[in-house]
Amino acid sequence: MRDKLAPHLNEFVLCKGWIEDWKSVDENITQVYIKNPLIKEANKNVLFDDLKLISKEHHINLFLEKEHSQDLRRLEEIFFNGVISQYTRSNGTKDYGIKQSERFIHISKYG
C-alpha cells in the first residue's frame, strides 16, 4: 500500500510516470497502471523538476474518464495531475491512487 500518500488524501498533485497497462473499470472510467511514478506537490510557480516530492512509487493507478483515456500507448512517458484518493481493491483491502479532479486539464505525453 502507498502509505506515504495517506497524509495527502484529497490533495491536488502533479505526477510523472510511464504507462504500463490500462483496463476499463466501467462504461465511464479507465484504470491506467502507471509505473515508477513521481508524485509531487502542485505549485504553479515552480518547475516540475523542482517541486517538493511527496512520494516515488513502484506503480500507481490513475482513474480517468473515458474521454481522457484515448490514444494511450504502453511505455510512453506521461505527465498528469489529479487528486490523491483512497479506493478498495477487489480483495477488500484499501489503497491509494490518483483520481481525475475537477481541475483536471489534460494529460501531456512526451516520447
Side-chain angles (χ1 to χ4, degrees):
M1 187 162 85
R2 286 155 270 284
D3 294 322
K4 292 179 187 175
L5 300 181
H8 301 277
L9 190 62
N10 296 318
E11 187 175 311
F12 183 74
V13 293
L14 301 178
C15 309
K16 174 179 132 176
W18 289 262
I19 299 170
E20 179 66 24
D21 201 4
W22 59 93
K23 67 179 180 180
S24 179
V25 173
D26 59 32
E27 63 275 353
N28 299 316
I29 302 294
T30 299
Q31 178 180 346
V32 185
Y33 180 98
I34 307 292
K35 69 178 188 172
N36 301 320
L38 298 174
I39 300 138
K40 297 190 172 194
E41 288 184 2
N43 182 338
K44 67 179 183 177
N45 298 313
V46 178
L47 294 172
F48 183 84
D49 290 342
D50 298 329
L51 291 171
K52 182 178 177 189
L53 181 68
I54 293 173
S55 183
K56 188 176 190 179
E57 300 291 339
H58 175 268
H59 75 277
I60 198 160
N61 290 307
L62 169 63
F63 297 92
L64 294 176
E65 293 177 5
K66 291 280 187 195
E67 65 191 61
H68 296 290
S69 64
Q70 307 300 317
D71 302 320
L72 296 174
R73 294 177 193 252
R74 189 169 181 275
L75 303 179
E76 188 167 53
E77 185 176 39
I78 182 173
F79 290 82
F80 58 97
N81 59 48
V83 174
I84 296 174
S85 63
Q86 187 177 53
Y87 67 95
T88 304
R89 294 177 176 144
S90 59
N91 66 4
T93 61
K94 302 287 185 189
D95 202 358
Y96 297 90
I98 307 295
K99 183 177 181 181
Q100 182 176 326
S101 74
E102 292 178 13
R103 296 182 348 182
F104 184 85
I105 299 168
H106 70 280
I107 296 173
S108 297
K109 297 183 278 188
Y110 302 95

